[in-house]
Amino acid sequence: KSLITRKHPKQKELNHALKVQLLGFEHKLMKMETSETLPTSLVELKCALTNKKKRALSFHEFATEQVARLQSQGRYGNAQSYATAINRILDLAGDGLGVQRMDYSFILKFEQHLVDTGVSVNGIAAYMRAVRALLNKAVKLDLMDARTYPFKHYRIRTERTPSRAETIENLRRFYQMNL
């Protein structure tokens, strides 16, 4: 059975090239079956078959790309939120932190770092929401293994913000004062 139809001017050459490539893939699959290290995901299988290495990005590189993407879309509020969260993570871990190393224990260390520097519970929640959004994107782009996704187990806590408005009684007292 031909893979390319006879109408194509280079039908024989293309079919031959496809058969050679298919044979190469089958040979690699047979080697994988006999070896002890089998790919655990489709992406790993694809990388093994095509001899491409999975690109390892640092968190800083990845997150900066995402901030630039948001800014190009005019989403400046999210971009600013992500940028401040990135800066806080860089304060803790530096430039060399890989996306794959952003696991549950790192998120706990980051939370403790924020607590130690005096950030409120709701402030921590804002940072964690930005980090969660970045890591969701990393999982979707297959830069991070979904099995090590930290927000599967981490719950972002918030507190009710106390009202800053004056009570009606205090306002009445203020207006009744003789100044």
Side-chain angles (χ1 to χ4, degrees), residues 125-142:
Y127 287 123
M128 291 300 185
R129 283 191 299 272
V131 172
R132 180 178 62 191
L134 286 166
L135 293 183
N136 285 345
K137 189 66 147 178
V139 168
K140 286 179 185 174
L141 294 173
D142 207 34

Side-chain angles (χ1 to χ4, degrees), residues 18 25 57 66 68 73-74 92 97 99 103 113 140 147 152 167 179:
L18 286 172
F25 288 154
L57 272 181
Q66 296 307 308
Q73 294 173 350
L92 174 66
L97 177 69
V99 176
D103 57 3
H113 170 71
K140 286 179 185 174
R147 292 175 292 184
K152 188 174 11 176
T167 63
L179 297 175

Side-chain angles (χ1 to χ4, degrees), residues 37-97:
T37 56
L38 290 174
T40 58
S41 71
L42 287 176
V43 174
E44 287 179 16
L45 178 63
K46 179 182 172 186
C47 290
L49 289 175
T50 58
N51 293 329
K52 291 183 181 175
K53 299 275 189 245
K54 203 172 175 182
R55 187 173 158 214
L57 272 181
S58 75
F59 176 75
H60 183 243
E61 290 172 322
F62 166 71
T64 305
E65 286 176 12
Q66 296 307 308
V67 168
R69 183 185 56 80
L70 288 171
Q71 288 173 338
S72 71
Q73 294 173 350
R75 297 170 62 190
Y76 299 107
N78 283 356
Q80 183 62 41
S81 173
Y82 289 13
T84 55
I86 294 164
N87 289 335
R88 287 303 200 131
I89 287 177
L90 293 178
D91 288 344
L92 174 66
D95 264 351
L97 177 69

Side-chain angles (χ1 to χ4, degrees), residues 14 28 31 55 63 115-116 137 158 163 173-174 178-179:
L14 291 173
K28 287 179 183 179
K31 273 187 173 179
R55 187 173 158 214
V115 168
D116 293 344
K137 189 66 147 178
T158 57
S163 175
R173 272 194 238 135
F174 178 72
N178 291 328
L179 297 175

Side-chain angles (χ1 to χ4, degrees), residues 89-115:
I89 287 177
L90 293 178
D91 288 344
L92 174 66
D95 264 351
L97 177 69
V99 176
Q100 289 288 350
R101 289 189 40 221
M102 302 278 294
D103 57 3
Y104 182 73
S105 65
F106 178 81
I107 293 297
L108 292 178
K109 287 178 197 167
F110 180 54
E111 180 185 41
Q112 189 58 49
H113 170 71
L114 294 173
V115 168

